[in-house]
Amino acid sequence: MIHTFLNSNIRNYSYLYIDNATGSLFVGARNRLVQLSLININASNSVKILEVPASESNRKPCFFNGKSDVSV
């Protein structure tokens, strides 16, 4: 059986890490770290999302290349 997690505000998933000690799947996405339960990945009450904004030094090259300050 395949279970899915979908959140329209989160894109560009880059990294996955399974922590068997906590029963969690950690997903790195653009400016976010998402923690999902391995027991029930669809359980919205167990999803934790941490916003991780880019530092000013990492944002400058984006501005130089015409990107906006909006995280999408």
Side-chain angles (χ1 to χ4, degrees):
M1 175 180 273
I2 297 174
H3 296 282
T4 60
F5 166 77
L6 178 64
N7 184 315
S8 62
N9 295 322
I10 301 174
R11 308 180 205 201
N12 297 4
Y13 299 101
S14 301
Y15 301 98
L16 300 175
Y17 174 75
I18 294 176
D19 184 355
N20 289 318
T22 62
S24 297
L25 170 65
F26 291 91
V27 180
R30 180 181 289 176
N31 295 338
R32 290 174 181 85
L33 179 63
V34 181
Q35 181 182 6
L36 304 165
S37 169
L38 286 174
I39 296 168
N40 185 355
I41 202 168
N42 295 319
S44 60
N45 61 339
S46 66
V47 174
K48 296 177 185 168
I49 301 173
L50 174 65
E51 298 282 332
V52 185
S55 67
E56 183 65 30
S57 62
N58 286 337
R59 290 183 354 197
K60 283 183 181 180
C62 295
F63 293 144
F64 181 77
N65 288 318
K67 305 293 183 194
S68 71
D69 195 26
V70 178
S71 173
V72 289

